[in-house]
Amino acid sequence: MNRKGKFFIIFMLIWSLIPLIWGIRTSLLSNNDLYVRPLKYFGTDMSSYRELFFGKIAVKFFMATKNSFKTSILGTISGIIITIPCAYVFSKYEFILKKTLYALIILVLAIPFYTIMIPLYRLAVDYSIIDTQIILIIIYVCGYSPMSFLIMKLYFDAVPIELEEIGMIEGASKLRRFFTAARLIAPGIVAASLIMFFNIWSSFVVPLIFSMKKTKPLTIFITEFVGKSSVNYSIMTTAGIVTLIIPIILVCVFNRYFIDGIITISK
Amino acid sequence: MKNKFIVFMILPFITLLMVFIYYPFFKSIYNSFYNFNFNTREFIGIENYIRVIKEVHRETFFNTAMYVFFSVITEIVIACPLAYILKNKFKGRGLVIALLILPWITPPAVNGVIWRWIYDGSYGLLNDILMKLSIIDNSKVWLASRLSSLLLIGVVHVWKVIPFMTLVFLSQLQKIPKELYEAGRVDGLKENQILVKLIIPMMKSTLCLMALQGIISAVQIFDEVYVLTGFSLDTRSLMIEDYLMIFSNLKMGQGTALALIVMTVSTLPMLLYRSIRIEKEKI
């Protein structure tokens, strides 16, 4: 790699990381220290964290955290469970209407949430499941699992068809062959789950409309500081950083699978 | 027997999509021809579409066009060379890629919160750096003037999208066989010529796809704008206008019509492109 390339990489690293580092810095200053000139570049003040975890808003904060985890985990698990068999069948079997159904699943990715929002809202009100985990999870599963479907189908495509044939000769049942193949694409399942989890974890518009009170996730909790008369930006940023930590930890742990998954989609 | 198995495997997912995506979607198309809210309903034909075109604030069209124009160009101009460099093997490459991905997994709401303290008029990092470099004398309130705030919100969006595009370009570049480079070198092409004559033509379809993807995500920009400048007309995007139309003016028919228009305009090129590709692929 030449010098220009090195310089560009370093520049991009700085560009990608500075906002995050600046966010951490803001969370480590007390709200008063934010309004000081010259600017403080470093902070060690944990008061915002203390306030967030043990102060008056702690109850709301933990509630939001719990909600975020609950919807993200339940949504991801149900989305993955429901799409694995589908992805497998689309990869290994031929059947009528296959092309149409495939297009039907993929087209979901082109339908923005805004276009289906009102009928869904109405449906949720009619069945009084508004502001419950159920409606959120349903929306996430429907909206985000076509992507998981696509990823896992591509992974299944990479499993050699001979394996199916051997299974058939040995007299393994269809279900058994499915589980064998599913075990082989474990990395794909991890990648698909991660991408789905991040999507749900970050979602903003859906809970903005469908969560009034009980099911508010962290993303909405953060922005609620804005409307109030005196905004404590330090705590707001702290809450933002805490929200960001979970995806960062997951990416660190499952880095390889994650990048592999993204590369698979782009093929 | 075989058919039973297939139906059993795919039915749950397909049913779910039918009930919660396609039913509401067609219901929305149907609704867009009605003047309706939770209690009343009256058929008015394409009146909603006409009213939307007339009543939507002209600024929101301009703003969204600005976001799209700025983001798509910047994203591609940065992501392409970055991928080209990352293609080389070097020490710490895995770590670099892992760090570069972080912006992409940052939730947009958090993204907005963090950038607020970079753009702040009196105590933001941007002013501080520019003043230290003596590019400006006094701190500027960036999010107060229209053009600069559009641009800066665009930057926040671009910051988030670049990692994804880079990874896609990278995976495509890695598929190009090494022999091609060698053949180019044997023919006496320089590094730059290989890039222009061999690599870029091979990347054409990916470039096209990413530009279309960039358009879709920029047209639907919402979270970043909402967190940074709220509902201010100067920076309001079409999707925020739509949100206001539905939830604060309660003009649901018009809101639905607007959402459908935006969806059609932004995804039609992608759909055409994809349908050509799906025809070619065998699934």
Side-chain angles (χ1 to χ4, degrees):
Chain A
M1 194 170 40
N2 55 18
R3 177 167 290 177
K4 253 193 271 173
K6 247 179 220 158
F7 180 77
F8 189 56
I9 295 258
I10 291 171
F11 173 78
M12 284 310 292
L13 277 176
I14 293 175
W15 151 259
S16 308
L17 295 180
I18 275 204
L20 300 175
I21 293 170
W22 196 249
I24 295 172
R25 163 263 180 197
T26 307
S27 74
L28 286 173
L29 287 173
S30 72
N31 203 38
N32 294 332
D33 283 346
L34 283 177
Y35 302 95
V36 178
R37 273 183 169 286
L39 295 189
K40 294 193 171 176
Y41 275 67
F42 300 98
T44 48
D45 189 305
M46 296 296 283
S47 62
S48 304
Y49 286 89
R50 227 174 296 137
E51 179 72 15
L52 195 64
F53 284 101
F54 307 109
K56 261 183 265 158
I57 49 168
V59 180
K60 277 189 177 171
F61 168 69
F62 282 120
M63 186 81 172
T65 313
K66 204 180 85 192
N67 287 334
S68 273
F69 270 112
K70 220 166 161 187
T71 30
S72 307
I73 292 173
L74 289 177
T76 306
I77 292 176
S78 31
I80 295 292
I81 287 180
I82 222 167
T83 43
I84 295 179
C86 209
Y88 171 74
V89 168
F90 270 88
S91 170
K92 299 292 176 209
Y93 286 85
E94 288 302 325
F95 49 94
I96 45 160
L97 288 177
K98 187 175 171 186
K99 264 197 171 159
T100 321
L101 289 174
Y102 182 76
L104 216 62
I105 297 175
I106 300 303
L107 272 178
V108 172
L109 295 171
I111 299 177
F113 174 66
Y114 309 89
T115 54
I116 56 171
M117 181 168 72
I118 299 173
L120 274 179
Y121 192 84
R122 179 117 209 202
L123 195 106
V125 171
D126 284 350
Y127 288 88
S128 53
I129 48 171
I130 195 105
D131 200 15
T132 60
Q133 303 282 351
I134 300 170
I135 184 71
L136 290 177
I137 289 173
I138 287 177
I139 295 174
Y140 294 141
V141 166
C142 293
Y144 295 136
S145 46
M147 184 51 95
S148 323
F149 164 80
L150 199 60
I151 297 170
M152 291 191 290
K153 181 186 166 292
L154 290 167
Y155 274 90
F156 273 126
D157 286 347
V159 174
I161 192 78
E162 285 80 11
L163 205 80
E164 283 289 306
E165 283 158 7
I166 292 171
M168 227 183 296
I169 293 165
E170 285 182 347
S173 70
K174 291 195 185 66
L175 221 51
R176 175 150 214 128
R177 272 181 272 150
F178 161 62
F179 283 118
T180 316
R183 216 169 299 142
L184 281 174
I185 64 146
I189 297 175
V190 174
S193 315
L194 279 178
I195 290 173
M196 187 146 180
F197 184 92
F198 292 150
N199 273 329
I200 302 179
W201 187 264
S202 314
S203 60
F204 184 74
V205 182
V206 176
L208 188 66
I209 292 159
F210 284 86
S211 309
M212 278 78 234
K213 229 179 176 151
K214 284 178 294 177
T215 55
K216 248 174 219 158
L218 278 170
T219 40
I220 301 290
F221 173 79
I222 301 166
T223 53
E224 292 207 322
F225 291 93
V226 180
K228 304 199 173 118
S229 51
S230 67
V231 184
N232 188 329
Y233 281 113
S234 178
I235 293 186
M236 182 168 159
T237 316
T238 309
I241 295 295
V242 174
T243 311
L244 180 55
I245 281 174
I246 306 299
I248 290 187
I249 292 175
L250 285 174
V251 159
C252 289
V253 176
F254 297 107
N255 191 10
R256 183 163 295 267
Y257 300 112
F258 183 60
I259 291 175
D260 229 49
I262 301 167
I263 287 173
T264 309
I265 322 173
S266 58
K267 274 180 186 158
Chain B
M1 179 60 200
K2 185 189 145 201
N3 284 336
K4 238 189 222 164
F5 175 72
I6 290 170
V7 169
F8 165 76
M9 298 289 263
I10 67 175
L11 201 63
F13 188 42
I14 302 279
T15 318
L16 213 61
L17 293 184
M18 284 299 168
V19 176
F20 294 103
I21 303 277
Y22 285 102
Y23 168 71
F25 181 64
F26 286 110
K27 181 96 184 188
S28 274
I29 295 180
Y30 171 82
N31 277 343
S32 69
F33 297 110
Y34 284 82
N35 182 10
F36 77 106
N37 56 38
F38 279 110
N39 307 316
T40 59
R41 167 179 292 275
E42 164 202 3
F43 183 79
I44 52 168
I46 59 163
E47 189 69 19
N48 277 325
Y49 288 89
I50 296 169
R51 271 193 225 155
V52 160
I53 306 271
K54 275 190 197 147
E55 281 177 27
V56 165
H57 293 94
R58 289 282 167 272
E59 290 89 339
T60 59
F61 281 116
F62 175 76
N63 294 344
T64 308
M66 282 289 289
Y67 291 137
V68 171
F69 185 71
F70 173 76
S71 336
V72 174
I73 290 181
T74 328
E75 279 155 17
I76 288 182
V77 165
I78 296 180
C80 273
L82 186 59
Y84 190 68
I85 295 170
L86 286 174
K87 181 177 64 75
N88 303 308
K89 299 263 178 296
F90 56 88
K91 224 178 153 195
R93 177 170 174 269
L95 182 68
V96 168
I97 293 181
L99 288 174
L100 287 175
I101 278 184
L102 294 181
W104 188 47
I105 57 163
T106 309
V110 177
N111 201 351
V113 170
I114 290 174
W115 282 84
R116 180 183 276 267
W117 279 98
I118 293 176
Y119 291 158
D120 188 81
S122 321
Y123 305 100
L125 180 64
L126 181 63
N127 273 321
D128 206 55
I129 289 177
L130 290 180
M131 264 155 47
K132 282 210 170 107
L133 296 174
S134 342
I135 294 172
I136 53 170
D137 301 328
N138 292 309
S139 45
K140 287 195 163 61
V141 187
W142 296 103
L143 292 177
S145 101
R146 173 144 185 231
L147 216 57
S148 71
S149 46
L150 283 178
L151 214 67
L152 291 175
I153 292 173
V155 168
V156 178
H157 181 70
V158 167
W159 182 75
K160 185 183 162 61
V161 177
I162 282 178
F164 174 68
M165 293 216 174
T166 310
L167 277 179
V168 173
F169 284 129
L170 181 60
S171 73
Q172 292 299 319
L173 281 173
Q174 280 171 342
K175 278 204 307 201
I176 297 176
K178 281 218 173 66
E179 288 77 18
L180 195 74
Y181 295 91
E182 277 155 23
R185 265 180 224 125
V186 170
D187 285 348
L189 294 177
K190 293 208 184 78
E191 196 68 22
N192 291 343
Q193 285 171 316
I194 293 178
L195 184 66
V196 175
K197 288 197 178 143
L198 295 176
I199 311 293
I200 292 180
M202 287 194 78
M203 296 286 290
K204 234 189 242 158
S205 69
T206 316
L207 274 170
C208 209
L209 208 63
M210 283 301 104
L212 295 172
Q213 186 66 47
I215 293 175
I216 294 177
S217 69
V219 168
Q220 295 177 6
I221 189 170
F222 183 100
D223 314 11
E224 289 95 337
V225 187
Y226 179 86
V227 176
L228 278 170
T229 50
F231 296 134
S232 151
L233 194 56
D234 276 351
T235 54
R236 194 185 291 173
S237 69
L238 275 172
M239 280 302 143
I240 289 197
E241 176 82 358
D242 193 38
Y243 176 85
L244 287 176
M245 205 179 259
I246 293 172
F247 288 98
S248 64
N249 304 342
L250 294 175
K251 292 178 179 167
M252 298 199 180
Q254 286 181 48
T256 308
L258 180 59
L260 287 169
I261 292 175
V262 173
M263 178 194 105
T264 315
V265 172
S266 66
T267 56
L268 205 59
M270 180 64 125
L271 285 185
L272 287 176
Y273 187 84
R274 276 275 172 184
S275 63
I276 297 166
R277 275 200 17 172
I278 286 181
E279 276 303 306
K280 278 188 204 160
E281 280 168 26
K282 58 172 205 284
I283 49 168

